[in-house]
Amino acid sequence: MKPLERGHKKLLNAWAFYDWANSVYSLTIVSTIFPIFYGLSFRIAKLTHIELFGMVIKSTSVIAFVTALAFAVVVVLSPILSGIADYLGNKKSFMRFFCYLGAISCVGLYWFSLEHIYFGLLCYFCGVVGFWGSIVFYNSYLPDIALPEQYDAVSAKGYSLGYTGSVLLLIFNLIMVMKPQWVGFATADTETTLTTMRISFITVGIWWIGFSSIPFYYLPSYKKGRGEFSKSILFNGFKELRKVWQSLSASPRLKWYLIAFFVYSMGVQTVMLIATYFGEQEIQWANSEESTMGLIISVLIIQLVAILGAHLTVLTVRKWGNIAVLIGLNVIWVGICLLSYCVYKPTEFYAIAILVGLVMGGIQTLSRSTYSAYLPETKDTTSFFSFYDVTEKLGIVIGMGVYGMIDQFTNNMRNATISLIVFFVLGMLLLFKVRKVSRVANE
């Protein structure tokens, strides 16, 4: 097929459709069914802690630490892979590899159990690496396939498609989990609930691989064929990151924005990754059935409201500008952390879910599009977006690490949640610095 030109509607839609394909992982594995399955497994076993590598660790801290470790691996791999991709010009091949790694790992979660905890955590770990590894190359495509004036709208469309597609599959999986008789199960006991949840992990893998074939068909390959591969190529990515960092001295606005993004994303991503575990443990549900349904409803609220949040952000940016809106979103995140410390009832948790949905959709799409808008004129978008993704992932490593340690040592997730306020406040202060630098540059 002849490559589509930059800005072509079909190409933009194909790029955005990868959000439709991979967001089922974020919703089912990260936010909804797996956290509920994980908590239910510990509840059935009447355990709150588990022994791993000779240490007794709280169940929620286990997930925080494994997630942090997975992101640390992504941080190390991203520069290496971006260097190889830049040399060979085959970022689509790397994007496909990580897509398949993540999808197959989701299928592997079918066999997750406390008796085989190491295998289950390995699948969870590889799912994280696969998802975020593919996102490195997915994000780097945005400046390649879209015109500058299209960044905000295309980015928002990607997130909107992701939220919509993931909700559709979640609804199917929820019917299977909550009404197993409708899909052929004879009973609706706890064992059946666990089985249907396991099956939902398989549906995620199939959906992810199946629908990703659309962007893989249309996205350009950029084959360069520069000659034989050598060991020095492995370090090209780190060299490129160093060049990006050095080049930031010529663009103070971009440099300060990246620092601000690094800080506030520690809080944003940690909240998003740990929210369902918090709801499962800290909210006073009447019973396990109400807990399962309540957490599912909360996540559905977040996903549906996030679609509105993404579009409202685009509208407010037109009036107030990117940085002002980002500052406002961080203020709301501070409020969410404060309110979460005092939330105990399900209705209160639903209200928090609405707030999270509004700011989650907004801050994700705006952070990505703002970075694209601030980039200098360059053809080496892979290195710049690799730097962006490494910044985000390193923030997650720190955020989840801090959260896990506070949860482990205080035995209280509320203490860990309120500690995230520090990241949002510092992020706001740094965003004010970005605005100040921008004004000076425009004088």
Side-chain angles (χ1 to χ4, degrees):
M1 186 190 77
K2 182 180 179 181
L4 299 173
E5 63 182 11
R6 184 185 181 193
H8 194 287
K9 184 177 180 181
K10 186 176 290 187
L11 179 59
L12 299 180
N13 289 338
W15 178 85
F17 210 71
Y18 188 67
D19 263 313
W20 171 284
N22 71 13
S23 290
V24 293
Y25 164 83
S26 298
L27 185 54
T28 299
I29 306 299
V30 177
S31 302
T32 313
I33 295 181
F34 179 76
I36 297 171
F37 170 85
Y38 182 83
L40 184 59
S41 298
F42 275 89
R43 197 179 310 120
I44 291 173
K46 297 181 179 179
L47 295 172
T48 57
H49 294 66
I50 192 167
E51 184 175 339
L52 289 173
F53 303 109
M55 298 179 289
V56 178
I57 307 175
K58 190 182 178 190
S59 62
T60 48
S61 295
V62 169
I63 286 295
F65 292 144
V66 172
T67 303
L69 179 61
F71 278 108
V73 170
V74 173
V75 167
V76 174
L77 283 180
S78 293
I80 296 174
L81 295 174
S82 68
I84 297 173
D86 182 56
Y87 180 84
L88 300 176
N90 60 347
K91 62 174 133 183
K92 184 160 72 172
S93 297
F94 286 101
M95 180 176 163
R96 183 185 283 113
F97 168 79
F98 282 104
C99 165
Y100 292 167
L101 173 65
I104 293 170
S105 297
C106 290
V107 175
L109 286 173
Y110 177 87
W111 291 277
F112 187 102
S113 68
L114 298 187
E115 292 76 17
H116 302 94
I117 189 69
Y118 291 104
F119 173 78
L121 291 176
L122 176 63
C123 288
Y124 179 84
F125 173 89
C126 290
V128 175
V129 173
F131 176 81
W132 289 103
S134 70
I135 292 296
V136 170
F137 301 100
Y138 171 60
N139 282 341
S140 73
Y141 263 112
L142 181 56
D144 295 340
I145 58 96
L147 301 172
E149 61 271 19
Q150 296 173 320
Y151 290 164
D152 287 344
V154 176
S155 182
K157 184 172 186 177
Y159 280 117
S160 295
L161 281 172
Y163 295 137
T164 305
S166 58
V167 166
L168 287 176
L169 182 62
L170 181 63
I171 289 173
F172 170 79
N173 286 329
L174 293 184
I175 292 173
M176 182 169 56
V177 171
M178 305 306 296
K179 299 292 182 180
Q181 300 93 333
W182 293 5
V183 291
F185 287 89
T187 59
D189 55 17
T190 302
E191 190 59 37
T192 300
T193 299
L194 288 173
T195 300
T196 53
M197 287 180 174
R198 295 178 191 275
I199 294 173
S200 72
F201 305 151
I202 296 177
T203 67
V204 169
I206 294 172
W207 178 289
W208 191 352
I209 290 176
F211 284 110
S212 66
S213 62
I214 296 174
F216 289 146
Y217 180 77
Y218 286 102
L219 289 176
S221 296
Y222 301 126
K223 293 288 184 180
K224 296 179 182 179
R226 295 185 179 179
E228 294 185 2
F229 183 82
S230 64
K231 292 182 179 180
S232 62
I233 295 171
L234 295 175
F235 300 100
N236 283 350
F238 293 101
K239 294 176 183 177
E240 291 302 317
L241 290 182
R242 186 173 60 185
K243 289 179 182 178
V244 171
W245 175 252
Q246 292 172 345
S247 70
L248 292 178
S249 60
S251 180
R253 181 179 66 170
L254 179 59
K255 181 177 181 179
W256 282 105
Y257 172 72
L258 270 172
I259 296 172
F261 171 74
F262 170 69
V263 174
Y264 73 70
S265 67
M266 293 183 198
V268 173
Q269 296 295 337
T270 301
V271 171
M272 290 167 58
L273 290 167
I274 212 72
T276 306
Y277 297 95
F278 179 92
E280 196 274 334
Q281 288 228 347
E282 298 293 332
I283 302 303
Q284 298 171 349
W285 307 103
N287 49 54
S288 59
E289 289 76 17
E290 184 187 59
S291 172
T292 299
M293 181 57 70
L295 292 170
I296 288 168
I297 291 173
S298 300
V299 174
L300 283 174
I301 289 172
I302 290 172
Q303 297 301 311
L304 293 173
V305 174
I307 299 173
L308 175 63
H311 289 287
L312 285 177
T313 300
V314 174
L315 295 176
T316 53
V317 163
R318 292 172 184 170
K319 183 176 181 180
W320 302 104
N322 291 38
I323 300 303
V325 173
L326 281 171
I327 291 172
L329 291 172
N330 274 273
V331 171
I332 298 174
W333 278 110
V334 170
I336 289 172
C337 291
L338 288 170
L339 291 172
S340 296
Y341 190 83
C342 307
V343 165
Y344 290 91
K345 298 179 181 178
T347 51
E348 298 170 341
F349 191 64
Y350 296 147
I352 291 292
I354 294 173
L355 280 176
V356 170
L358 281 173
V359 293
M360 182 180 74
I363 205 162
Q364 282 185 307
T365 186
L366 187 55
S367 294
R368 181 166 63 180
S369 62
T370 301
Y371 182 73
S372 296
Y374 284 179
L375 286 180
E377 288 294 329
T378 179
K379 294 182 180 179
D380 189 14
T381 56
T382 301
S383 292
F384 272 91
F385 267 92
S386 178
F387 195 93
Y388 175 84
D389 283 297
V390 166
T391 299
E392 181 181 39
K393 305 310 173 292
L394 186 57
I396 294 173
V397 172
I398 297 172
M400 291 296 286
V402 169
Y403 194 97
M405 286 189 290
I406 294 176
D407 183 26
Q408 172 74 8
F409 292 123
T410 68
N411 202 33
N412 191 320
M413 292 186 77
R414 295 178 186 275
N415 293 337
T417 301
I418 203 166
S419 69
L420 299 176
I421 290 176
V422 174
F423 300 134
F424 294 117
V425 172
L426 287 176
M428 280 190 288
L429 295 175
L430 289 165
L431 286 169
F432 277 111
K433 176 68 175 181
V434 174
R435 188 163 66 173
K436 180 179 179 181
V437 170
S438 298
R439 287 174 176 173
V440 171
N442 294 328
E443 289 179 354

